[in-house]
Amino acid sequence: MNKTVTANISGIVFHIESEAYDKLQKYLTTIRNYFHDSDGKDEIMADIESRIAELFKESMTHGREVVTMAEVDKVVEIMGEPEQYMDDANDEFSNNYQQGQSHSNFEKIKSKRLFRDEDDKVLGGVCAGMGHYFGIDRIWIRILALIAFFGFGTGIVIYIILWAIIPKAKTTAEKLEMKGEPINVENIGNTIKDEFNSFKKKVDGSSANKYGQQAGDAVSKFFMLLANIITFLFKFLVKFFGVVFVVGASLGLIALISVMIGAPSEIHFNNEHWGGYWSQEFAEIFFNSGNTYTLAFIGIALVTIIPLLSLLYAGLKILFNIPTSNKAVGLSATSLFIIGIILVSFTASSTVALYSSEQQMTEFIELEDLPSDTIRLSSMDEFYSNGYNNSNDIFVENDFIYTDNMSVDVVRSVNDKVNIRLNKSSRGSNRKDAGAKAEHIDFTYEINGSNLSISPYIDFPYEDRYRGQEAEISIELPVGKSIYLENSSIDIIYDIKNVTNTYDGKMIGHTWLMTEIGLQCTDCGWELKQNNKTEDDDDDAID
């Protein structure tokens, strides 16, 4: 058990073993005596202590709280023994210095960072800092900057942006790191001495370059103002995107949870009206089993919720400067997202296989003993009596699935009979399965005299599940027969071909006669005028 003492080094409190503290105290005293007569001795000691505190902080990992003799020895090794630079005539020091020089060159490459050098600046010190970083004389960087200013026009913008984003080398350690020099006692002391000497020269020559310095300061302040404006705008945009991330992710999560808990769809199951809630029974219409639906539900939830939560957390970090998240949390989120992708891929592939084959079949229904040559087509409205509306695409009732995947067309008959041709199609896991499902498709219609009412829904057994079942119903009219389209038929007809290319909505409420060339309207004012004009043109041609 070792005795420890508490020491305040550069404003940071450390617990140090007693023997280690004595050695560190002796080390700092020796350095302080060495720089006793130097200009800026207080600044030198402050920077040296700051560097020592930084090294101690780096070594305090894995829950360690006490600085031991090993850490002090390591600091002394990095910062350098005072005797190494106090006795220049010592041959052993010269050898050590030569060895340290090569090590210094290695650290130059390893630890060099990009800063702005405001001690050697024309405007903001960007060119000087880049010169140190790339090992190029700053004059060449400044020449390139001038060419960019006047040659390309964008150089000033790039310079201001660099001025805003590259930090200034403030401390002695940062200035040494900018030049790639090892941060030790000797270099810290020499740097601060040089700064004091340079400051003296500036003071001595201030009367000679007073006005030039004022002009340079004015330009520097102008560009600094621009840099501050750009920095402010950049920070504002970052905060703005943070707000967008938080609001967007929050709305996305609310919408997603609402869909998963209470979807906005109208679902009718076994004569019960469920006010917009997803259910496993309803999901099984599309999936092959409840287990597949459950896996798909979990996979979709993970794939959508994890990115939204990540986006929300990123926005909160931007707005409230939250520290970097735990790596375990990020790894867990990534793992859950990958699991979600795997589940979605598995359920999607297994579900798609259920739709891999398609089969079609056709049925003919002959409409006999019609009392009139004109059929009146309408849509049955029984399916709307319980509050259903056109927004329903699919629903379940009495162990049957109903869907509006159907359409009614009017075409010319191949004989002198009025027929209904029903083209049914379905998908399945194979041709046989698809054919059986297509055969089970049925539709409802009624004949009352000359009135033909067709349901807007087709139906098939619940056991077949939904596999893209659809039907195309064609009313085949012989030449000379007519059809009148009631207003309700707009719910069932689709793209009925006619001589005048009249669209479906305008065909409603009129009688259409089947001719040799197709359907023609017998009570449409625009068509009567067109027919009269055609006859007049024919007469003129004969004359």
Side-chain angles (χ1 to χ4, degrees):
M1 182 169 58
N2 297 327
K3 180 180 178 182
T4 63
V5 297
T6 302
N8 186 330
I9 305 176
S10 188
I12 303 175
V13 176
F14 293 95
H15 300 287
I16 309 177
E17 289 183 353
S18 178
E19 294 181 359
Y21 174 80
D22 293 338
K23 181 173 182 178
L24 179 62
Q25 183 70 17
K26 180 179 179 181
Y27 177 73
L28 290 174
T29 301
T30 304
I31 295 174
R32 188 176 290 106
N33 292 334
Y34 173 73
F35 291 110
H36 179 72
D37 296 329
S38 301
D39 293 329
K41 57 181 178 298
D42 294 334
E43 287 79 5
I44 293 173
M45 291 307 303
D47 275 0
I48 290 174
E49 291 186 7
S50 176
R51 177 57 177 165
I52 291 174
E54 180 182 347
L55 293 173
F56 281 160
K57 284 181 62 178
E58 291 177 358
S59 64
M60 295 293 101
T61 57
H62 305 294
R64 296 183 58 188
E65 297 181 356
V66 178
V67 178
T68 64
M69 182 65 76
E71 279 76 32
V72 173
D73 290 339
K74 184 177 179 181
V75 166
V76 172
E77 179 183 358
I78 294 173
M79 300 297 292
E81 292 281 0
E83 291 80 4
Q84 288 180 334
Y85 46 86
M86 291 173 66
D87 187 5
D88 294 336
N90 192 303
D91 293 336
E92 184 179 354
F93 162 72
S94 299
N95 294 332
N96 291 337
Y97 179 79
Q98 294 297 329
Q99 295 175 0
Q101 187 67 27
S102 62
H103 181 68
S104 173
N105 291 334
F106 171 76
E107 289 195 7
K108 274 188 179 182
I109 299 173
K110 182 179 178 182
S111 62
K112 188 182 293 187
R113 290 180 57 191
L114 180 60
F115 290 97
R116 287 187 291 112
D117 186 3
E118 291 203 339
D119 294 333
D120 186 17
K121 68 178 181 178
V122 174
L123 292 177
V126 174
C127 294
M130 294 180 69
H132 290 306
Y133 186 78
F134 294 107
I136 303 174
D137 194 323
R138 58 189 178 278
I139 189 64
W140 299 112
I141 304 293
R142 287 168 178 164
I143 291 174
L144 290 175
L146 287 174
I147 294 174
F149 285 168
F150 301 106
F152 304 103
T154 58
I156 188 171
V157 177
I158 296 174
Y159 189 90
I160 293 174
I161 293 175
L162 293 175
W163 193 345
I165 64 176
I166 298 176
K168 177 178 69 173
K170 298 178 181 179
T171 66
T172 305
E174 289 176 347
K175 292 175 182 179
L176 290 171
E177 199 171 9
M178 174 181 65
K179 299 175 182 179
E181 298 290 343
I183 308 172
N184 53 33
V185 173
E186 182 180 11
N187 287 335
I188 291 174
N190 291 336
T191 300
I192 295 179
K193 287 180 181 178
D194 292 340
E195 289 177 357
F196 267 82
N197 293 333
S198 176
F199 178 75
K200 286 183 177 180
K201 292 179 180 179
K202 289 180 180 179
V203 172
D204 294 339
S206 60
S207 59
N209 57 8
K210 177 180 178 181
Y211 297 105
Q213 184 65 33
Q214 289 178 349
D217 290 343
V219 175
S220 178
K221 288 179 180 179
F222 171 74
F223 280 100
M224 182 61 74
L225 176 62
L226 291 179
N228 290 336
I229 292 174
I230 291 176
T231 303
F232 171 79
L233 292 176
F234 178 76
K235 291 181 178 179
F236 173 79
L237 287 176
V238 170
K239 295 293 184 182
F240 174 77
F241 281 112
V243 173
V244 172
F245 290 167
V246 171
V247 174
S250 300
L251 293 177
L253 287 170
I254 293 172
L256 183 62
I257 294 173
S258 299
V259 169
M260 290 182 172
I261 296 178
S265 299
E266 294 286 334
I267 299 174
H268 305 271
F269 188 80
N270 291 335
N271 292 323
E272 295 184 7
H273 180 198
W274 295 2
Y277 290 92
W278 284 107
S279 67
Q280 183 168 330
E281 291 86 351
F282 185 73
E284 287 181 2
I285 294 176
F286 303 94
F287 295 96
N288 199 35
S289 67
N291 292 333
T292 306
Y293 162 72
T294 302
L295 292 177
F297 185 90
I298 295 173
I300 293 173
L302 292 176
V303 169
T304 52
I305 290 178
I306 296 299
L308 288 174
L309 289 176
S310 300
L311 193 64
L312 176 63
Y313 183 63
L316 293 175
K317 284 178 61 178
I318 292 174
L319 293 177
F320 302 105
N321 296 323
I322 299 175
T324 305
S325 60
N326 193 329
K327 290 184 179 180
V329 175
L331 182 60
S332 300
T334 303
S335 301
L336 290 174
F337 183 75
I338 293 174
I339 292 173
I341 293 177
I342 294 173
L343 291 177
V344 170
S345 301
F346 169 74
T347 54
S349 60
S350 60
T351 303
V352 168
L354 302 175
Y355 294 75
S356 57
S357 296
E358 182 179 9
Q359 281 292 89
Q360 297 181 354
M361 62 186 311
T362 303
E363 292 181 5
F364 286 92
I365 303 171
E366 182 179 336
L367 303 181
E368 300 178 349
D369 301 328
L370 295 174
S372 173
D373 289 339
T374 300
I375 298 175
R376 301 182 71 89
L377 177 65
S378 63
S379 173
M380 297 176 65
D381 58 359
E382 284 83 355
F383 289 91
Y384 298 94
S385 60
N386 291 327
Y388 304 149
N389 53 59
N390 290 331
S391 64
N392 290 322
D393 294 326
I394 185 171
F395 62 90
V396 178
E397 189 173 87
N398 298 328
D399 294 329
F400 278 86
I401 299 174
Y402 292 84
T403 175
D404 62 354
N405 289 343
M406 57 84 66
S407 62
V408 176
D409 194 8
V410 180
V411 298
R412 179 179 172 180
S413 178
V414 295
N415 51 41
D416 58 351
K417 302 292 184 180
V418 178
N419 304 311
I420 293 179
R421 185 175 75 236
L422 177 60
N423 293 325
K424 304 184 291 185
S425 65
S426 177
R427 291 184 174 274
S429 57
N430 51 61
R431 290 170 58 87
K432 183 178 179 180
D433 180 49
K437 287 178 170 55
E439 187 176 358
H440 294 161
I441 296 173
D442 196 7
F443 81 107
T444 304
Y445 72 97
E446 290 181 356
I447 292 289
N448 185 8
S450 297
N451 296 320
L452 173 60
S453 298
I454 298 178
S455 166
Y457 291 93
I458 59 174
D459 62 86
F460 44 89
Y462 182 81
E463 293 79 15
D464 286 356
R465 304 295 194 270
Y466 179 80
R467 296 296 181 261
Q469 290 91 335
E470 62 181 13
E472 295 178 357
I473 302 170
S474 298
I475 301 174
E476 297 183 342
L477 286 182
V479 174
K481 298 286 186 179
S482 301
I483 187 169
Y484 179 82
L485 302 177
E486 300 279 1
N487 291 335
S488 62
S489 64
I490 190 64
D491 295 331
I492 56 177
I493 64 173
Y494 177 73
D495 195 22
I496 297 178
K497 301 295 188 298
N498 57 84
V499 174
T500 54
N501 288 326
T502 304
Y503 62 89
D504 294 342
K506 203 170 183 180
M507 294 179 70
I508 299 299
H510 296 287
T511 301
W512 295 83
L513 175 67
M514 181 61 69
T515 66
E516 294 288 346
I517 59 175
L519 287 175
Q520 287 187 336
C521 185
T522 60
D523 58 357
C524 300
W526 70 87
E527 186 164 337
L528 293 175
K529 291 180 180 179
Q530 183 175 355
N531 291 337
N532 292 333
K533 182 179 179 182
T534 303
E535 293 177 358
D536 293 339
D537 292 341
D538 293 340
D539 293 340
D540 292 340
I542 294 174
D543 294 340

